[in-house]
Amino acid sequence: MSKTKFRSLGMGFLVAALILALVTVIWPLVPQSLKSQLDAVNLPIVTEGANEASYKAAYESLLAEKESSSKASSTSASATTQASTTEAATTQSSKPVSITVEEGESSNDVAEKLEKAGLIKSAKEFVDYLTTNNIAENIWTGTFEIKPGSSNEEIARAIGALR
């Protein structure tokens, strides 16, 4: 390579480093409302390792439950225990779930909390619903009680996005 090409390459690296440094310095000065709008537009980052442990634990508990239910079906006492367990699970799932929204959280963060709590099937679907209806920026801060099985509209009303 010629000297001119090396110099050009070096200048390119220098300009890129200056731009990154400038953005790093200016980013804390950007208003929170603009940051949340930018977060609402971006798709959430998918990580494999975060949910892998919870999926594995759920799978193992289902296997253990299946084994215990096949052994328990032979006796009537086991059937009674299983019925009371199912009844307790139904009662527990109908109780409202408490979700806390902190100041500065984006709609993606809230959707992920809702998904982890089992209130929505997909965080991306909920964010898409909020974005489509132009209400992603209207989420209130605070703690909200949300019933399992609520629709996206009902959840949006509960967290203040939809008035």
Side-chain angles (χ1 to χ4, degrees):
M1 280 180 111
S2 70
K3 219 180 212 185
T4 309
K5 289 182 181 178
F6 275 125
R7 286 181 182 162
S8 298
L9 182 64
M11 288 301 293
F13 283 131
L14 181 63
V15 169
L18 288 173
I19 290 172
L20 286 173
L22 185 64
V23 168
T24 304
V25 170
I26 291 177
W27 186 250
L29 304 175
V30 174
Q32 188 61 37
S33 61
L34 181 60
K35 287 181 185 177
S36 64
Q37 288 175 355
L38 292 172
D39 285 342
V41 173
N42 296 329
L43 295 176
I45 297 171
V46 178
T47 57
E48 290 182 30
N51 292 329
E52 188 175 327
S54 64
Y55 290 138
K56 186 175 181 180
Y59 175 73
E60 289 174 355
S61 69
L62 286 173
L63 284 178
E65 184 178 317
K66 185 176 180 181
E67 281 183 24
S68 66
S69 67
S70 65
K71 291 177 184 176
S73 62
S74 62
T75 62
S76 63
S78 298
T80 306
T81 305
Q82 186 178 6
S84 66
T85 304
T86 306
E87 187 177 305
T90 306
T91 306
Q92 185 180 19
S93 66
S94 64
K95 290 182 182 177
V97 177
S98 182
I99 296 293
T100 302
V101 178
E102 308 269 335
E103 186 175 342
E105 286 185 323
S106 68
S107 57
N108 289 336
D109 297 334
V110 176
E112 287 174 9
K113 282 184 178 181
L114 293 168
E115 184 178 28
K116 285 179 185 174
L119 294 170
I120 58 175
K121 295 176 186 172
S122 166
K124 183 185 179 324
E125 278 182 24
F126 187 69
V127 170
D128 289 345
Y129 171 79
L130 294 175
T131 305
T132 302
N133 292 300
N134 294 323
I135 55 176
E137 299 84 27
N138 301 341
I139 298 174
W140 294 338
T141 58
T143 302
F144 307 97
E145 298 289 325
I146 302 172
K147 294 180 184 175
S150 297
S151 68
N152 285 346
E153 181 181 351
E154 292 170 332
I155 294 172
R157 284 190 193 283
I159 62 175
L162 188 62
R163 296 179 192 125

